[in-house]
């Protein structure tokens, strides 16, 4: 995919209005608006299930008496379409909908919104009768008896997973393939760890990422997730790759290892951004409606940090609103961004990654934030609040070089 734009005006999906027109002319050195969403995600999922990668059709892999659990990651795009497509295959095999269980993993801070494209009840993708018969659970690692013992890893660590996963005859992982600072690439088996694990596993998984590693490098958490998937014996997965507007760009289904391998190739093509030089100004647009808007905005800031000159400017377009989680609240009380890094490592809040990414970005460049945050909160978070798109455009207009990335929370960015 070419880095330089074919035209000087492009539209980026961002914020409540859904778009931001960008005109940067010759100063635009990198422009990646991100891949578009498919017109009909339900059709894309059905097509993927009809052509599984290196695995028989799901309808041939189950029997009517099987108890089937769909393990859903909290950031799965268009979950109703995924659930509906998988049910179509299960129904062909004669599976009783009363033996179907859906469980959504916990988010980074056990959070995420309960509405929108990511959050509501995914049984909305099922026919009425099947929706009434199937069960749906939002996993809470702190809930008593939510998890049971699976096995011990090769290193001797005991693994506990959500009971609907342990009690199933067939488990289908359903997640979003994306770049991730802890996992390298999230998706497939990473739906189980830490999102469907116990509280201790969630706490152990918290970290500040591996800034020195690329997505293709081995990560301890990724290795653990794949070992857990092997111990569980799950073999079939359905994965989506996000679009720039937060919808579905690609749907994949089939054998877990084969889907992950193909997904990595597609991620490199769709979401890996390589800039020839660092830019004076970096514009990042955050796909609207993310299940954890603070984490999504922080990931976009981290993408921008990798592209911007030291002392440059980062312009963020996001639908972020509300009060910050604990780590970012700590940042808002700091005198300087770097002051918060050591305290964050000590008390390890649920949003440790987000707070660290935000602090590092603010330490490198001046942040301009077009969002739903109150001006005083934006300023406490070391950002200049912008009130309307024209102000963002004026910051960009005077720059000698500009990099622009849409759906930046999904991008892995690097500059020469």
């Amino acid at each position: 995919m070419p880095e330089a734009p074919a035209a000087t005006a492009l539209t980026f999906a961002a914020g409540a209005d859904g778009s931001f027109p960008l005109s940067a002319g010759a100063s635009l050195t990198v422009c990646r608006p991100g891949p578009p969403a498919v017109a009909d995600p339900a059709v894309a999922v059905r097509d993927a299930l009809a052509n599984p990668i290196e695995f028989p059709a799901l309808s041939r892999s189950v029997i009517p008496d099987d108890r089937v659990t769909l393990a859903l990651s909290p950031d799965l795009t268009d979950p109703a379409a995924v659930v509906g497509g998988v049910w179509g295959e299960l129904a062909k095999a004669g599976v009783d909908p009363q033996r179907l269980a859906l469980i959504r993993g916990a988010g980074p801070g056990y959070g995420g919104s309960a509405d929108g494209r990511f959050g509501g009840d995914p049984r909305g993708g099922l026919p009425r009768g099947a929706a009434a018969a199937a069960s749906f659970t939002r996993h809470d690692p702190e809930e008593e008896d939510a998890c049971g013992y699976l096995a011990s890893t090769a290193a001797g660590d005991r693994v506990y997973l959500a009971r609907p996963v342990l009690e199933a005859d067939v488990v289908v992982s359903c997640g979003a393939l994306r770049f991730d600072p802890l996992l390298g690439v999230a998706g497939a088996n990473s739906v189980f760890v830490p999102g469907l694990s116990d509280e201790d596993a969630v706490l152990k998984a918290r970290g500040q990422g591996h800034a020195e590693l690329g997505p293709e490098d081995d990560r301890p958490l990724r290795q653990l997730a794949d070992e857990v998937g092997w111990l569980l014996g799950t073999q079939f997965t359905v994965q989506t790759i996000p679009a720039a507007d937060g919808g579905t760009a690609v749907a994949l289904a089939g054998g877990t290892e084969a889907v992950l391998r193909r997904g990595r190739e597609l991620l490199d093509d769709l979401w890996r951004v390589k800039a020839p030089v660092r830019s004076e100004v970096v514009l990042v647009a955050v796909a609207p409606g993310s299940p954890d808007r603070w984490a999504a905005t922080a990931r976009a800031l981290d993408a921008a940090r990798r592209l911007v000159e030291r002392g440059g400017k980062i312009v963020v377009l996001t639908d972020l609103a509300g009060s910050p989680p604990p780590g970012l609240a700590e940042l808002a009380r700091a005198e300087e961004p770097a002051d918060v890094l050591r305290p964050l490592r000590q008390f390890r809040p649920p949003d440790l990654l987000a707070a660290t990414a935000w602090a590092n970005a603010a330490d490198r460049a001046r942040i301009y934030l077009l969002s739903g945050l109150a001006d005083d909160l934006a300023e406490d978070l070391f950002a200049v609040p912008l009130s309307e798109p024209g102000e963002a455009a004026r910051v960009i207009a005077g720059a000698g070089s500009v990099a622009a990335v849409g759906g930046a929370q999904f991008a892995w960015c690097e500059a020469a």
Side-chain angles (χ1 to χ4, degrees), residues 41-42 45 49 70 72 76-88 173-175 238-240 248 251:
V45 172
L49 286 161
L70 308 188
L72 313 175
L76 172 64
T77 63
D78 297 303
V82 172
V83 170
V86 173
W87 171 248
S173 60
C174 304
V238 180
Q239 300 289 308
T240 61
T248 297

Side-chain angles (χ1 to χ4, degrees), residues 143-187:
E143 184 179 330
E144 186 177 358
D145 206 36
C147 293
Y149 175 68
L150 170 65
S152 293
T153 66
D157 296 323
R158 293 171 65 86
V159 176
Y160 295 86
L161 291 180
R163 291 194 180 278
V165 174
L166 297 179
E167 294 166 357
D169 299 305
V170 176
V171 178
V172 178
S173 60
C174 304
L177 281 162
R178 58 174 178 79
F179 292 117
D180 183 87
L182 282 177
L183 292 154
V185 172

Side-chain angles (χ1 to χ4, degrees), residues 22 25 38 62 79 105 137 158 185 188 197 210 217 223 275 281 292 364 368 386-387 392:
L22 171 65
V38 295
V62 296
T137 305
R158 293 171 65 86
V185 172
S197 305
H210 302 277
D217 294 320
Q223 292 172 328
V281 174
D292 187 333
R364 182 174 182 85
Y368 294 80
L386 303 177
S387 59

